[in-house]
Amino acid sequence: MQETKRCGGIYDKRMSSGFQIKPKTAIHKSKTSSSPSSSSLDLAIKPQQRPSDKLNPKTIDPFGDHSKAPSAFSAIYSKGGIPCRLVHGSVKHKLQWECLPETLPFDPLLITLAEGLRETKHPYTFVSKEGFKELLLVEDATEKAIPLLPRLIPVLKAALAHSNGEVFERGLNALIQLSAIVGPALNDQLKHLLTSISKRLMDKKFKEQITVALQKLEQYGGKESVGIIKSKIPTYCSISS
């Protein structure tokens, strides 16, 4: 309630300052006199577009206005909602967990990390993919992950359908890691993911990677998974044939 009054006070103050009556002489002067100095000042204040901006539209200006709302994962990470942090090493990076991963609840942490797979900026890309992988390595991961499959699959599907190739690769790797843990329990949800995967088969860059991934899904999903895979990707050759 106090916040409403405070905001109302600020609003009233701004409104009252906007209705100041100027003398007629001042108004007449502003209409008749030209002010080249003010126009030149406007040109100096307004940033001019550089030719490189057209060539690199995604380049981040460190001095620009970053008013765009952060993604859900980056916002949670910035507020300390992800119980791990990136540690920069001389050779490679690693995660440092605030507590043992075995003690952490999978709900909603595993789902949040899966959502982070769609990130395209550092360190969110590394934290999400490495955190997802390491969380699935805990001893009782199977029992914790299976109940979350109905909520995990739409998130992984969004990563697999992403236009960014690196996001697709992270989603594909995460799917293999999940399949290795939950096994045949993934089969009922598998058909929802194969459509996005099949669309990338036409790209030579991903063809071999997808083939290996499908073989892994068959390996972990058992014989039942073969029919599911072939229903969406008829050209798939089973590892048992």
Side-chain angles (χ1 to χ4, degrees):
M1 193 65 184
Q2 293 178 356
E3 182 67 18
T4 304
K5 290 181 179 179
R6 185 176 67 84
C7 292
I10 295 173
Y11 177 79
D12 292 339
K13 184 178 179 181
R14 290 179 178 174
M15 289 297 291
S16 62
S17 63
F19 285 91
Q20 295 177 0
I21 301 174
K22 297 181 180 180
K24 292 183 178 180
T25 55
I27 297 174
H28 178 72
K29 184 178 180 181
S30 63
K31 288 182 178 179
T32 56
S33 62
S34 60
S35 53
S37 59
S38 62
S39 60
S40 60
L41 181 61
D42 292 339
L43 291 174
I45 293 175
K46 293 180 181 179
Q48 300 297 312
Q49 188 180 33
R50 298 168 298 179
S52 58
D53 292 339
K54 297 180 180 180
L55 297 175
N56 303 295
K58 295 182 180 180
T59 301
I60 298 174
D61 180 7
F63 303 103
D65 179 19
H66 303 297
S67 58
K68 185 180 179 181
S71 63
F73 181 83
S74 62
I76 295 173
Y77 181 81
S78 300
K79 293 177 181 178
I82 310 296
C84 59
R85 285 291 178 269
L86 171 65
V87 177
H88 293 275
S90 57
V91 179
K92 63 179 183 178
H93 305 321
K94 65 178 182 179
L95 286 184
Q96 180 177 341
W97 293 87
E98 296 176 1
C99 52
L100 294 175
E102 291 82 359
T103 63
L104 297 171
F106 273 35
D107 188 6
L109 182 56
L110 188 65
I111 298 172
T112 303
L113 290 168
E115 289 174 344
L117 297 171
R118 285 176 287 168
E119 294 287 340
T120 56
K121 295 180 182 179
H122 184 78
Y124 312 126
T125 52
F126 181 85
V127 173
S128 59
K129 72 173 183 178
E130 193 66 20
F132 188 88
K133 181 179 74 173
E134 292 186 13
L135 200 59
L136 286 176
L137 294 177
V138 302
E139 187 175 352
D140 55 348
T142 302
E143 291 76 12
K144 290 181 177 181
I146 288 178
L148 299 179
L149 286 178
R151 293 159 61 193
L152 273 171
I153 297 308
V155 179
L156 290 177
K157 182 180 179 180
L160 292 169
H162 203 282
S163 59
N164 186 298
E166 293 181 358
V167 173
F168 169 77
E169 288 179 324
R170 286 194 291 271
L172 191 64
N173 290 330
L175 175 60
I176 296 171
Q177 294 157 9
L178 182 64
S179 177
I181 298 301
V182 302
L186 185 63
N187 288 342
D188 291 339
Q189 308 286 342
L190 194 56
K191 60 183 179 181
H192 301 297
L193 304 170
L194 291 171
T195 301
S196 299
I197 294 176
S198 64
K199 291 178 180 179
R200 297 276 185 168
L201 269 173
M202 302 302 293
D203 192 334
K204 293 181 180 179
K205 178 182 178 181
F206 302 110
K207 188 172 183 179
E208 183 177 353
Q209 188 175 355
I210 290 174
T211 301
V212 174
L214 294 175
Q215 292 172 346
K216 292 289 185 182
L217 291 173
E218 178 187 349
Q219 177 185 343
Y220 300 133
K223 293 182 179 180
E224 182 186 354
S225 64
V226 179
I228 299 173
I229 295 173
K230 282 184 172 291
S231 67
K232 297 293 182 179
I233 306 176
T235 56
Y236 173 70
C237 296
S238 172
I239 55 177
S240 58
S241 58

